[in-house]
Amino acid sequence: MFSDASNFVQGVDTSFAIILGASLFFLVGITAVMVYFVVRYHKSRHPEAKDVHESRRLEITWTVIPTILVLVMFYFGWTGYKPMRSIPDEGIKVKAYAQMWSWQFEYENGKTSDSLVVPIDKAVVLDLISRDVVHSLYIPAFRIKEDVVPGRTNKMWFIGQKEGDYDIFCAEYCGDRHSYMLSKVVVVPEDKYTTWFNNKTTTDHPGLAVLKKNACLSCHSLDGTRIVGPSFKGIWGHEVEVITNGEERSVTVNEDYILRSVYDPNADVVKGFNQGQMISYKNIISEDEIKDIIEYLKTLK
Amino acid sequence: MSVALTQPVNFYQANKGLFSWIFSTDHKRIGLLYFYAIISFFLVAMMLGFLMRLELISPGETIMGAKTYNQIFTLHGVIMIFLFLIPSVPAFFGNFFLPIMIGTDDVAFPKVNLLSWWLYVLGGIFALLTLVVGNGPADTGWTFYAPYSVKTGTNVTLAVLAAFILGFSSILTGLNFIVTIHRLRAPKMGWFKMPLFAWALYATAWIQLLATPIIGITLLMIVAERVFGLGLFDPALGGDPILYQHLFWIYSHPAVYIMVLPAMGLISEMIPTFAKRTIFGYKAIAFSSLAIAFIGYFVWGHHMFTSGMSGPARVIFSVLTFLVAVPSAIKVFNWVATLYKGSIDVKTPLLFSLAFIFQFLVGGLTGLVIGALATDIHLHDTYFVVGHFHYVMFGGAGFAFFGALHYWFPKIWGKMYHEKTAKVAFTFMFIGFNLLYFPMLVLGIMGMPRRYYDYLEEFTTLNVISTVGSWILITGIILMIINLIQSKRTGGETTRNPWGGTTLEWQTPSPPPLHNFDAVPVVPEGNPYDHKQNKSI
Amino acid sequence: MSNFVLVNSGHNRDDEASKFGMWLFLFTELLLFGGLFLVYTIYRYLNSETFLYSSYELNVLLGTVNTIVLLTSSLTVALSITALQKGNIRLSLWLITATILFALTFLVIKYFEWSAKFEHGLFPGMDHYIQMLPGEKMFFFLYFFMTGLHGLHVIIGGVLLGYIMWEIKKKKVTPDNNIFLENGGLYWHLVDIIWIFLFPLFYLIH
Amino acid sequence: MADKNKSRHLPGDPTEHLIVPYKFHIGIWVGLIVLTVMTVLVSVMGLSLIAFSVITALIIAVTKAVVVANYFMHLKYDNKLITILMGVTLLLFVVFIAFTAIDYLTR
Ligand code: HEA
Ligand code: HEA
Ligand code: CUA
Ligand SMILES: [Cu+2]
């Protein structure tokens, strides 16, 4: 765990070691003294207690020393943290989109990916954007974490210093599948990164690409299992029971219905599912893209 | 003004029947009503904790689905905090003992006291209603962060209303205690003759009074937001979810001191009694309570270090967080010094007190780790934080509560508990507790986030150890409960002052009579813990 | 049962304690609104222009009249305490009645203000509201929330004063034992103080 | 403290309460109305200095509140303790706003 995966590890781990060291010292010391007193002054050994009221000297000592110590701890905490705020102007800019319950990273050339691929030894600056509730992007190996708050753009940056895959967790509770909101940072050599960065072709069906890009699949499966929303398998042309304004009715899944489901998901709520989970994608997915989705859904028999 | 020589009618016998309890304005009865309610909620929430540990014994689904798990930890947190720990010590021990310890026969406003009990019940009912109506209990975590708490379909509104009502109950208790302490101390009971428990309650009461309104109004805003379907923390309206977090923690950080200060007061009572000597540094302990209460108002931002808070704000909050540790340190040092040259009688309450000191140290020191900016960035919202707060809340406040339950058991019920069984139960609890929560600290350092229903393979071993710890802990707790129930029914007789305590509650019969004393209590000269001059009692 | 009396008993009459308790309660009320003022401050900072612009929708004249009505009611309640202390029970009752009437006037004026806003569809969720800019929405949400909560306090205060009148009639509250009225008065003044701040913050930020 | 305990069993004790005369209250009321009219004028007449009018409005509001508390609520004649505690409460309130504002202002 004490590897140098990012430029922050050293600062954080140093302050950690210092605070932990002082803490252990006090924990062990105080416990030992306490146990010693209990044994030494047990009533069998020390039948007559002696009153000691107070000692100004002692009180001052154990007020002043801890005060100094905690200020030292603060200082190291502060220096370990400061570089995280000094975000460089230069660097690879990536937009990190969070939504229930997936991550999506958008690069400067428009390329999107569900994992964060970065070159080694280069500064990477993330704009953190939430599409629904508060999430938090956490990379334990890099010792960094920052909340992704709707309505504002927080920033975070790092330099990956060791090749490899590192976990990304969502650290702010965000609903049912919070613990599955995982991804990876992949630190690769510069040249590998460049090839990856410039390769924009995919073999996916265009509809599937849209679904992946917008993280629809974190709630809708393609194989019939129920996650949070209804599975996409075989829905095209089927009758579904929906609740519209509190009344039940049955509709056939067609172009109109899909469009409505994506742009105004709370208008018809599929029976047995919860309203309010799915957000409206009105300004996110274009009508053309929805056509692609529909074409793709038709293929899922 | 004659002194009754025969054993007077105690407060249980003075009135009979259900109504003589639930509409009683006697502070002792209200205290006991609180106790039974609090302990029931506690057992429910413990069961939930136990279920969570079972689920976490292995990755993937073990016994329940993700949604259920989320609802369970929310309910666990809400009950533990709002229905157990915040009222536990003040509303039970405080109600029962504060008037006796300062030598009066009731709190300043007995009817208001009854009202706050009924509000507590109402709040509890609301919390329980979330289980049965609508879409089930809230799944937001006890922090109710917007906007998730506004979006989810579960019974957040009810849960939030429950917390709101419980807040009012807490405010009224605090108000009552402040006025009681100001106005009703016995003649000669000067401020510095008060037992330290009363000091702790006094400091706590100010937090209850002045911090709780903020959470009240914040929760109302959440309700408004859910009722109108749009609201004050919604970016689409020009709002900001971060402001919710500020408001929530303005209350909820001071609230953690509502939980621990009275518990510290209990420790300050028990240690001198069993060390058979006066407390070391009476004034330092008394003033450090006030200092903790005061500085505690200004550190709330340390829960939000990763929320994108501004640099200067982080610095201010971090520095103040560290400063609030100093008065806690003063207390710990004074307690340990009190053992010096005592004549120590190792009874169960003392064991709990020593365990308190150890576990509070672990909890407090881990608090320092997350109070530092760099390390909190890494550890925020991981199991390290879960470990930290269980150490302070359960290992600290909870253990003090159990210790005091043994300490005052003879006074409250007039029977003595079985000492050997109590010690065995304590041993199980101590070992189980540390086995349960220590691994969490390590898990947090390794990076396991909290509120995780499922986790990566590499975290399995420690989770298993933790779950096994919970079984040992349960064994201890069940044993303790059985022992106490048994002792209450068939335990040995006790005297007025089985431990040789020096504070006023030991001058009255066990259990106390309706108006608390059978003779005008004698306020000791000097400080309230002077064992020498009170030998005669 | 024992036959001695503790001097300092929670069951003795203690006016000083009652008043102290009332003040403590007022502190909590102050902080309850304090939370809202905090929200107001931050949102006003984040949306300063739209707040300014929205405040023009409010009717300064009605606001001013209401401020004066509340101030006057504060006067009458203060006078009623003096009257009771001087033993002039009839005058005291009249002054409390006047206070309650002012409270009603305040509420009636508020009612007209609110209904005007309703007609313009400014209430959260109404059609005009939905088309407003984010900051404007926030302004009106806060306006309704804060004046609504304040109105609730006016109602509670009025009912409380009504109950005190009844107690005076029943001779439970007397010239010698007037702490209940004093506490009622304290509550009423607090309601007034809160309005003293609401008024400039919503109506006068031109 | 002990001395006070004794006296409070004499309700209506003339030393306990200072009865504030009617005229005095009416005078205070006139002052408050004048202040109210002043704020409205400052704001409506505008002087079109935005910051200026907000600050004056608040200063006047604070003055009014202090007057109401001191005279209508008898804070001035009451136990000093209440005034001190009121001060603590207001201090907390100010700190709550100030610390939160620091976060927003220095972002
Ligand atoms: C009883 C409850 C209680 C108590 C007493 C405390 C006490 C402290 N807490 Fe804790 N805390 C919680 C309950 C409590 N906490 C809860 C419930 C949460 C999580 C909320 C949530 O998110 O759900 C939390 C979270 C929490 C966080 C946020 C973590 C995060 O989410 O990122 C922080 C950060 O600063 C923190 C710090 C502290 C500190 C510095 C103290 C200090 O007061 C501790 C002081 C004590 C000591 C330091 C030990 C004694 C000292 C000595 C013997 C002297 C030697 C030491 C020195 C050199 C000074 N706590
Ligand atoms: C006083 C406070 C308190 C106490 C005592 C406890 C006690 C326990 N808590 Fe606590 N916990 C919290 C307060 C507390 N908790 C809070 C505030 C949270 C945060 C919630 C949130 O994130 O929103 C939390 C979160 C939390 C989590 C993290 C959940 C997550 O982030 O995913 C976990 C995980 O293991 C946990 C476990 C436990 C366990 C195993 C116990 C054990 O101590 C329980 C052991 C005891 C028993 C198992 C009961 C034994 C009794 C019986 C079996 C009944 C028998 C009946 C009779 C004899 C009549 N708790
Ligand atoms: Cu996203 Cu948790
Ligand atoms: Cu805190």
Side-chain angles (χ1 to χ4, degrees), chain B residues 81-82 86-87 142 163 166-168 170-171 207-219 244-259 296-297 300 303, chain D residues 96:
Chain B
I81 288 192
F82 294 111
I86 287 183
W142 79 282
L166 292 167
F168 266 90
S170 174
I171 288 179
I207 312 181
Q208 289 177 292
L209 193 77
L210 297 183
T212 319
I214 305 278
I215 188 95
I217 197 69
T218 311
L219 295 179
Y244 170 81
Q245 300 184 9
H246 274 294
L247 287 164
F248 181 84
W249 291 114
I250 286 178
Y251 165 72
S252 294
H253 181 81
V256 310
Y257 296 117
I258 300 181
M259 307 175 208
Y297 279 113
W300 75 83
H303 296 272
Chain D
F96 291 165

Short mmCIF file of all heavy atoms in Angstrom, two decimals, chain B residues 81-82 86-87 142 163 166-168 170-171 207-219 244-259 296-297 300 303, chain D residues 96:
data_model
loop_
_atom_site.label_atom_id
_atom_site.label_comp_id
_atom_site.label_asym_id
_atom_site.label_seq_id
_atom_site.Cartn_x
_atom_site.Cartn_y
_atom_site.Cartn_z
N ILE B 81 -28.26 7.03 16.60
CA ILE B 81 -27.93 8.41 16.93
C ILE B 81 -29.10 9.15 17.55
O ILE B 81 -29.00 9.67 18.66
CB ILE B 81 -27.42 9.12 15.67
CG1 ILE B 81 -26.02 8.57 15.38
CG2 ILE B 81 -27.38 10.63 15.89
CD1 ILE B 81 -25.25 9.30 14.39
N PHE B 82 -30.22 9.17 16.86
CA PHE B 82 -31.31 10.02 17.34
C PHE B 82 -32.13 9.37 18.44
O PHE B 82 -32.69 10.06 19.29
CB PHE B 82 -32.22 10.44 16.19
CG PHE B 82 -31.54 11.33 15.19
CD1 PHE B 82 -31.26 10.87 13.91
CD2 PHE B 82 -31.14 12.60 15.54
CE1 PHE B 82 -30.62 11.68 12.99
CE2 PHE B 82 -30.49 13.43 14.62
CZ PHE B 82 -30.24 12.96 13.35
N ILE B 86 -28.08 10.03 21.53
CA ILE B 86 -28.32 11.42 21.95
C ILE B 86 -29.16 11.48 23.22
O ILE B 86 -28.81 12.16 24.17
CB ILE B 86 -28.89 12.26 20.80
CG1 ILE B 86 -27.78 12.52 19.80
CG2 ILE B 86 -29.47 13.57 21.31
CD1 ILE B 86 -28.17 13.37 18.65
N PRO B 87 -30.28 10.75 23.28
CA PRO B 87 -31.02 10.81 24.55
C PRO B 87 -30.44 9.95 25.66
O PRO B 87 -30.73 10.22 26.82
CB PRO B 87 -32.42 10.31 24.17
CG PRO B 87 -32.25 9.53 22.94
CD PRO B 87 -31.05 10.03 22.25
N TRP B 142 -27.73 8.12 7.48
CA TRP B 142 -28.34 8.99 8.49
C TRP B 142 -28.10 10.46 8.19
O TRP B 142 -28.65 11.32 8.85
CB TRP B 142 -27.83 8.63 9.88
CG TRP B 142 -26.48 9.17 10.24
CD1 TRP B 142 -25.28 8.67 9.83
CD2 TRP B 142 -26.17 10.30 11.06
NE1 TRP B 142 -24.25 9.42 10.36
CE2 TRP B 142 -24.77 10.43 11.12
CE3 TRP B 142 -26.95 11.22 11.77
CZ2 TRP B 142 -24.12 11.42 11.83
CZ3 TRP B 142 -26.28 12.22 12.49
CH2 TRP B 142 -24.90 12.31 12.51
N ALA B 163 -36.82 12.65 12.98
CA ALA B 163 -35.63 13.30 13.51
C ALA B 163 -35.96 14.71 13.99
O ALA B 163 -35.45 15.17 15.02
CB ALA B 163 -34.53 13.35 12.45
N LEU B 166 -37.74 14.43 17.35
CA LEU B 166 -36.78 14.04 18.37
C LEU B 166 -35.89 15.21 18.74
O LEU B 166 -35.49 15.37 19.90
CB LEU B 166 -35.94 12.86 17.88
CG LEU B 166 -36.74 11.57 17.72
CD1 LEU B 166 -35.95 10.54 16.95
CD2 LEU B 166 -37.12 11.03 19.09
N GLY B 167 -35.60 16.06 17.75
CA GLY B 167 -34.82 17.25 18.02
C GLY B 167 -35.50 18.12 19.05
O GLY B 167 -34.88 18.61 20.00
N PHE B 168 -36.82 18.29 18.89
CA PHE B 168 -37.52 19.13 19.86
C PHE B 168 -37.51 18.54 21.25
O PHE B 168 -37.37 19.24 22.24
CB PHE B 168 -38.94 19.42 19.39
CG PHE B 168 -38.97 20.70 18.65
CD1 PHE B 168 -38.77 20.72 17.29
CD2 PHE B 168 -39.10 21.89 19.33
CE1 PHE B 168 -38.71 21.91 16.61
CE2 PHE B 168 -39.04 23.09 18.66
CZ PHE B 168 -38.85 23.10 17.29
N SER B 170 -35.18 16.80 22.45
CA SER B 170 -33.84 17.02 22.97
C SER B 170 -33.67 18.47 23.43
O SER B 170 -33.09 18.75 24.48
CB SER B 170 -32.85 16.65 21.87
OG SER B 170 -31.56 16.96 22.21
N ILE B 171 -34.20 19.41 22.65
CA ILE B 171 -34.12 20.83 23.04
C ILE B 171 -34.78 21.04 24.40
O ILE B 171 -34.23 21.70 25.28
CB ILE B 171 -34.83 21.72 22.00
CG1 ILE B 171 -34.02 21.79 20.72
CG2 ILE B 171 -35.04 23.12 22.56
CD1 ILE B 171 -34.65 22.62 19.64
N ILE B 207 -25.42 22.63 24.12
CA ILE B 207 -25.35 22.18 22.72
C ILE B 207 -26.73 21.78 22.24
O ILE B 207 -27.16 22.12 21.15
CB ILE B 207 -24.38 21.00 22.56
CG1 ILE B 207 -23.07 21.29 23.26
CG2 ILE B 207 -24.16 20.73 21.10
CD1 ILE B 207 -22.08 20.17 23.10
N GLN B 208 -27.44 21.04 23.11
CA GLN B 208 -28.77 20.61 22.70
C GLN B 208 -29.63 21.81 22.36
O GLN B 208 -30.36 21.83 21.38
CB GLN B 208 -29.44 19.83 23.84
CG GLN B 208 -28.83 18.47 24.07
CD GLN B 208 -29.46 17.77 25.25
OE1 GLN B 208 -29.32 18.18 26.40
NE2 GLN B 208 -30.19 16.70 24.98
N LEU B 209 -29.51 22.83 23.18
CA LEU B 209 -30.37 23.99 23.02
C LEU B 209 -30.01 24.78 21.77
O LEU B 209 -30.89 25.18 21.01
CB LEU B 209 -30.24 24.89 24.25
CG LEU B 209 -31.28 25.96 24.36
CD1 LEU B 209 -32.56 25.33 24.84
CD2 LEU B 209 -30.83 27.03 25.33
N LEU B 210 -28.74 25.02 21.55
CA LEU B 210 -28.37 25.98 20.52
C LEU B 210 -27.99 25.35 19.18
O LEU B 210 -27.88 26.05 18.19
CB LEU B 210 -27.23 26.87 21.02
CG LEU B 210 -27.59 27.74 22.22
CD1 LEU B 210 -26.44 28.64 22.61
CD2 LEU B 210 -28.83 28.57 21.95
N ALA B 211 -27.75 24.06 19.14
CA ALA B 211 -27.41 23.47 17.84
C ALA B 211 -28.62 22.82 17.20
O ALA B 211 -28.78 22.86 15.98
CB ALA B 211 -26.28 22.46 18.00
N THR B 212 -29.48 22.22 18.00
CA THR B 212 -30.58 21.45 17.46
C THR B 212 -31.52 22.25 16.55
O THR B 212 -31.99 21.70 15.56
CB THR B 212 -31.37 20.78 18.60
OG1 THR B 212 -30.43 20.29 19.55
CG2 THR B 212 -32.20 19.65 18.08
N PRO B 213 -31.82 23.52 16.86
CA PRO B 213 -32.75 24.23 15.96
C PRO B 213 -32.28 24.24 14.51
O PRO B 213 -33.10 24.20 13.60
CB PRO B 213 -32.75 25.66 16.52
CG PRO B 213 -32.34 25.54 17.92
CD PRO B 213 -31.44 24.36 18.01
N ILE B 214 -30.96 24.26 14.31
CA ILE B 214 -30.47 24.32 12.94
C ILE B 214 -30.85 23.05 12.17
O ILE B 214 -31.29 23.11 11.03
CB ILE B 214 -28.94 24.49 12.92
CG1 ILE B 214 -28.53 25.71 13.74
CG2 ILE B 214 -28.43 24.59 11.50
CD1 ILE B 214 -28.63 27.01 13.04
N ILE B 215 -30.69 21.89 12.82
CA ILE B 215 -31.06 20.68 12.09
C ILE B 215 -32.57 20.66 11.90
O ILE B 215 -33.07 20.22 10.87
CB ILE B 215 -30.59 19.40 12.81
CG1 ILE B 215 -30.83 18.15 11.93
CG2 ILE B 215 -31.36 19.13 14.07
CD1 ILE B 215 -29.69 17.77 11.18
N GLY B 216 -33.30 21.20 12.88
CA GLY B 216 -34.76 21.24 12.75
C GLY B 216 -35.16 21.93 11.47
O GLY B 216 -35.89 21.37 10.64
N ILE B 217 -34.63 23.11 11.27
CA ILE B 217 -35.05 23.88 10.10
C ILE B 217 -34.54 23.23 8.82
O ILE B 217 -35.22 23.21 7.79
CB ILE B 217 -34.60 25.35 10.24
CG1 ILE B 217 -35.37 26.22 9.27
CG2 ILE B 217 -33.13 25.53 10.03
CD1 ILE B 217 -36.81 26.37 9.60
N THR B 218 -33.34 22.64 8.89
CA THR B 218 -32.80 22.00 7.70
C THR B 218 -33.67 20.83 7.27
O THR B 218 -33.96 20.65 6.08
CB THR B 218 -31.38 21.48 8.01
OG1 THR B 218 -30.65 22.52 8.63
CG2 THR B 218 -30.69 21.04 6.76
N LEU B 219 -34.09 20.05 8.25
CA LEU B 219 -34.91 18.90 7.91
C LEU B 219 -36.26 19.37 7.36
O LEU B 219 -36.81 18.76 6.44
CB LEU B 219 -35.08 17.99 9.12
CG LEU B 219 -33.77 17.36 9.60
CD1 LEU B 219 -33.99 16.50 10.83
CD2 LEU B 219 -33.13 16.51 8.51
N TYR B 244 -26.64 22.29 2.01
CA TYR B 244 -27.30 21.33 2.89
C TYR B 244 -26.28 20.70 3.82
O TYR B 244 -26.51 20.56 5.02
CB TYR B 244 -28.02 20.24 2.08
CG TYR B 244 -28.50 19.13 2.98
CD1 TYR B 244 -29.68 19.28 3.70
CD2 TYR B 244 -27.73 17.99 3.21
CE1 TYR B 244 -30.09 18.31 4.59
CE2 TYR B 244 -28.14 17.02 4.10
CZ TYR B 244 -29.32 17.19 4.79
OH TYR B 244 -29.71 16.23 5.68
N GLN B 245 -25.14 20.33 3.26
CA GLN B 245 -24.14 19.66 4.10
C GLN B 245 -23.65 20.58 5.22
O GLN B 245 -23.50 20.15 6.35
CB GLN B 245 -22.96 19.18 3.24
CG GLN B 245 -23.40 18.21 2.17
CD GLN B 245 -22.24 17.66 1.37
OE1 GLN B 245 -21.08 17.85 1.70
NE2 GLN B 245 -22.55 16.93 0.31
N HIS B 246 -23.45 21.85 4.87
CA HIS B 246 -23.07 22.79 5.93
C HIS B 246 -24.12 22.78 7.04
O HIS B 246 -23.80 22.64 8.22
CB HIS B 246 -22.95 24.21 5.37
CG HIS B 246 -21.61 24.52 4.78
ND1 HIS B 246 -20.47 24.58 5.53
CD2 HIS B 246 -21.23 24.77 3.51
CE1 HIS B 246 -19.44 24.87 4.76
NE2 HIS B 246 -19.88 24.99 3.51
N LEU B 247 -25.37 22.96 6.65
CA LEU B 247 -26.41 23.05 7.67
C LEU B 247 -26.49 21.78 8.48
O LEU B 247 -26.63 21.80 9.71
CB LEU B 247 -27.77 23.32 7.00
CG LEU B 247 -27.93 24.74 6.46
CD1 LEU B 247 -29.08 24.81 5.50
CD2 LEU B 247 -28.14 25.70 7.60
N PHE B 248 -26.39 20.64 7.79
CA PHE B 248 -26.50 19.38 8.51
C PHE B 248 -25.39 19.26 9.55
O PHE B 248 -25.63 18.92 10.70
CB PHE B 248 -26.44 18.20 7.54
CG PHE B 248 -26.56 16.87 8.22
CD1 PHE B 248 -27.81 16.36 8.53
CD2 PHE B 248 -25.44 16.15 8.60
CE1 PHE B 248 -27.94 15.16 9.19
CE2 PHE B 248 -25.57 14.95 9.26
CZ PHE B 248 -26.82 14.45 9.55
N TRP B 249 -24.17 19.58 9.16
CA TRP B 249 -23.05 19.37 10.08
C TRP B 249 -22.94 20.47 11.12
O TRP B 249 -22.34 20.26 12.18
CB TRP B 249 -21.74 19.18 9.33
CG TRP B 249 -21.71 17.89 8.57
CD1 TRP B 249 -21.69 17.72 7.21
CD2 TRP B 249 -21.76 16.57 9.11
NE1 TRP B 249 -21.72 16.40 6.89
CE2 TRP B 249 -21.75 15.66 8.03
CE3 TRP B 249 -21.80 16.04 10.41
CZ2 TRP B 249 -21.79 14.28 8.20
CZ3 TRP B 249 -21.84 14.66 10.57
CH2 TRP B 249 -21.83 13.81 9.47
N ILE B 250 -23.51 21.63 10.86
CA ILE B 250 -23.52 22.66 11.91
C ILE B 250 -24.18 22.06 13.15
O ILE B 250 -23.76 22.32 14.27
CB ILE B 250 -24.27 23.93 11.44
CG1 ILE B 250 -23.42 24.70 10.46
CG2 ILE B 250 -24.59 24.83 12.64
CD1 ILE B 250 -24.12 25.94 9.92
N TYR B 251 -25.22 21.27 12.92
CA TYR B 251 -25.79 20.57 14.07
C TYR B 251 -25.02 19.31 14.39
O TYR B 251 -24.68 19.06 15.54
CB TYR B 251 -27.24 20.19 13.82
CG TYR B 251 -27.75 19.16 14.82
CD1 TYR B 251 -28.00 19.54 16.14
CD2 TYR B 251 -27.94 17.83 14.48
CE1 TYR B 251 -28.44 18.62 17.07
CE2 TYR B 251 -28.38 16.91 15.41
CZ TYR B 251 -28.62 17.30 16.71
OH TYR B 251 -29.04 16.38 17.63
N SER B 252 -24.77 18.48 13.40
CA SER B 252 -24.39 17.11 13.69
C SER B 252 -22.99 16.97 14.22
O SER B 252 -22.69 16.00 14.87
CB SER B 252 -24.59 16.22 12.47
OG SER B 252 -25.96 16.17 12.20
N HIS B 253 -22.13 17.94 13.93
CA HIS B 253 -20.87 17.82 14.66
C HIS B 253 -21.06 18.10 16.15
O HIS B 253 -20.71 17.26 16.97
CB HIS B 253 -19.69 18.59 14.09
CG HIS B 253 -18.51 18.32 14.97
ND1 HIS B 253 -17.77 17.19 14.84
CD2 HIS B 253 -18.10 18.92 16.09
CE1 HIS B 253 -16.91 17.14 15.84
NE2 HIS B 253 -17.08 18.19 16.62
N PRO B 254 -21.62 19.26 16.53
CA PRO B 254 -21.87 19.44 17.97
C PRO B 254 -22.62 18.25 18.56
O PRO B 254 -22.39 17.89 19.72
CB PRO B 254 -22.71 20.71 18.02
CG PRO B 254 -22.30 21.49 16.83
CD PRO B 254 -22.01 20.47 15.78
N ALA B 255 -23.49 17.63 17.76
CA ALA B 255 -24.25 16.50 18.29
C ALA B 255 -23.35 15.37 18.76
O ALA B 255 -23.69 14.67 19.71
CB ALA B 255 -25.23 15.99 17.26
N VAL B 256 -22.19 15.19 18.12
CA VAL B 256 -21.34 14.10 18.61
C VAL B 256 -20.85 14.41 20.02
O VAL B 256 -20.58 13.50 20.79
CB VAL B 256 -20.16 13.75 17.67
CG1 VAL B 256 -20.62 13.56 16.25
CG2 VAL B 256 -19.03 14.74 17.78
N TYR B 257 -20.78 15.68 20.34
CA TYR B 257 -20.40 16.00 21.72
C TYR B 257 -21.59 15.89 22.66
O TYR B 257 -21.41 15.70 23.86
CB TYR B 257 -19.71 17.36 21.78
CG TYR B 257 -18.41 17.34 21.02
CD1 TYR B 257 -18.20 18.13 19.91
CD2 TYR B 257 -17.40 16.43 21.37
CE1 TYR B 257 -17.02 18.06 19.18
CE2 TYR B 257 -16.24 16.35 20.65
CZ TYR B 257 -16.04 17.16 19.55
OH TYR B 257 -14.90 17.07 18.83
N ILE B 258 -22.81 16.01 22.12
CA ILE B 258 -23.96 15.69 22.96
C ILE B 258 -23.86 14.23 23.39
O ILE B 258 -24.24 13.85 24.48
CB ILE B 258 -25.30 15.89 22.21
CG1 ILE B 258 -25.46 17.32 21.77
CG2 ILE B 258 -26.49 15.46 23.08
CD1 ILE B 258 -26.77 17.60 21.06
N MET B 259 -23.31 13.40 22.49
CA MET B 259 -23.25 11.99 22.80
C MET B 259 -22.14 11.69 23.80
O MET B 259 -22.29 10.84 24.65
CB MET B 259 -22.99 11.17 21.53
CG MET B 259 -23.96 11.47 20.43
SD MET B 259 -23.47 10.56 18.96
CE MET B 259 -24.12 11.59 17.69
N GLY B 296 -16.57 23.01 19.89
CA GLY B 296 -17.25 22.03 19.05
C GLY B 296 -18.21 22.63 18.05
O GLY B 296 -18.54 22.02 17.04
N TYR B 297 -18.67 23.85 18.31
CA TYR B 297 -19.57 24.50 17.35
C TYR B 297 -18.88 24.91 16.06
O TYR B 297 -19.52 25.16 15.06
CB TYR B 297 -20.16 25.77 17.97
CG TYR B 297 -21.32 25.56 18.89
CD1 TYR B 297 -21.21 25.82 20.25
CD2 TYR B 297 -22.54 25.13 18.39
CE1 TYR B 297 -22.29 25.65 21.09
CE2 TYR B 297 -23.62 24.96 19.23
CZ TYR B 297 -23.49 25.22 20.58
OH TYR B 297 -24.56 25.05 21.40
N TRP B 300 -17.46 22.08 12.20
CA TRP B 300 -18.29 21.16 11.42
C TRP B 300 -17.73 20.85 10.04
O TRP B 300 -17.98 19.78 9.49
CB TRP B 300 -19.72 21.71 11.32
CG TRP B 300 -19.87 22.86 10.37
CD1 TRP B 300 -20.03 22.76 9.03
CD2 TRP B 300 -19.90 24.25 10.69
NE1 TRP B 300 -20.15 24.02 8.48
CE2 TRP B 300 -20.07 24.96 9.48
CE3 TRP B 300 -19.80 24.99 11.86
CZ2 TRP B 300 -20.14 26.35 9.41
CZ3 TRP B 300 -19.87 26.37 11.79
CH2 TRP B 300 -20.03 27.05 10.59
N HIS B 303 -16.21 17.48 8.14
CA HIS B 303 -16.93 16.40 7.47
C HIS B 303 -17.01 16.64 5.97
O HIS B 303 -17.55 15.81 5.24
CB HIS B 303 -18.34 16.25 8.03
CG HIS B 303 -18.35 15.85 9.47
ND1 HIS B 303 -18.32 14.54 9.87
CD2 HIS B 303 -18.34 16.57 10.61
CE1 HIS B 303 -18.32 14.49 11.19
NE2 HIS B 303 -18.31 15.71 11.67
N PHE D 96 -21.81 30.87 12.50
CA PHE D 96 -22.40 29.94 11.53
C PHE D 96 -22.43 30.58 10.15
O PHE D 96 -22.02 29.99 9.15
CB PHE D 96 -23.83 29.55 11.93
CG PHE D 96 -23.90 28.69 13.16
CD1 PHE D 96 -25.11 28.51 13.83
CD2 PHE D 96 -22.78 28.05 13.66
CE1 PHE D 96 -25.19 27.72 14.97
CE2 PHE D 96 -22.85 27.26 14.79
CZ PHE D 96 -24.05 27.10 15.45
#
